[in-house]
Amino acid sequence: IKKFTSSGQYISQFGSYGVADGQFNEPEKLTFDSSGNIYVIDYSNHRVQKFDSSFNHLLSFGSYGTNPGQFKYPEGIEVSPNGNIYVADTSNSRIQVFNPLGELVTTFGSQGTEDGYLKGPRGIEIDSSGNIYVVDNMNYRVQKFNSSHEFVLKFGSNGYGDGQFKAMSGIALDSLGNIYVTDKTNHNV
């Protein structure tokens, strides 16, 4: 993980290849909590690692598998306003929620195509009200869930036209609540 100033000047880095605490095998995405702690998706080690703002390792949670608390190639991560960590457990087609100590709180979503079901979720974003936006990649849509994890709405479909998706990955919200989604195959946002 590399750190830069807002003007692009290199500051420092941490981590190396491996399986020990503080090492990574394909770090995927990261996010911060309100205290400045860093949460990193360690994709091929099937876990999340937490570091303080000085890059000291605080904890790791998750392992390879399908049971609650385990991951199969997680890709998305976000911290909610209440401090819980939401992880898009991509190959298990679910979202897992953990407290700041890395303890499983709940999971939601399971593989399927109906509203509220997921297939290969990759990106995740949470707004200031606690609504959760999930890049439901293999269903070619974004789904919105409320803070109780209940389905609210969906948008998008499979294709190359306006509002359609082929290979989604990232999602972000701007200060006005507009939703931005990256689509690798369509080469656009």
Side-chain angles (χ1 to χ4, degrees), residues 27-82:
E28 181 70 23
K29 294 189 177 126
L30 54 84
T31 193
F32 297 86
D33 66 19
S34 60
S35 299
N37 294 311
I38 308 162
Y39 296 85
V40 181
I41 291 285
D42 193 359
Y43 179 78
S44 289
N45 281 330
H46 312 281
R47 65 182 177 184
V48 171
Q49 295 196 64
K50 179 180 179 180
F51 301 87
D52 66 19
S53 59
S54 298
F55 311 138
N56 296 303
H57 182 269
L58 300 176
L59 64 92
S60 296
F61 55 93
S63 61
Y64 181 81
T66 59
N67 292 323
Q70 294 183 311
F71 302 115
K72 282 177 67 180
Y73 303 103
E75 292 190 43
I77 189 165
E78 188 63 39
V79 177
S80 70
N82 70 1

Side-chain angles (χ1 to χ4, degrees), residues 137-164:
N137 182 55
M138 295 177 73
N139 283 326
Y140 310 102
R141 64 187 179 189
V142 171
Q143 293 197 69
K144 178 181 178 180
F145 299 86
N146 65 23
S147 60
S148 298
H149 312 140
E150 299 164 330
F151 172 81
V152 175
L153 63 84
K154 66 183 176 191
F155 61 89
S157 61
N158 184 10
Y160 297 99
D162 292 343
Q164 294 184 312

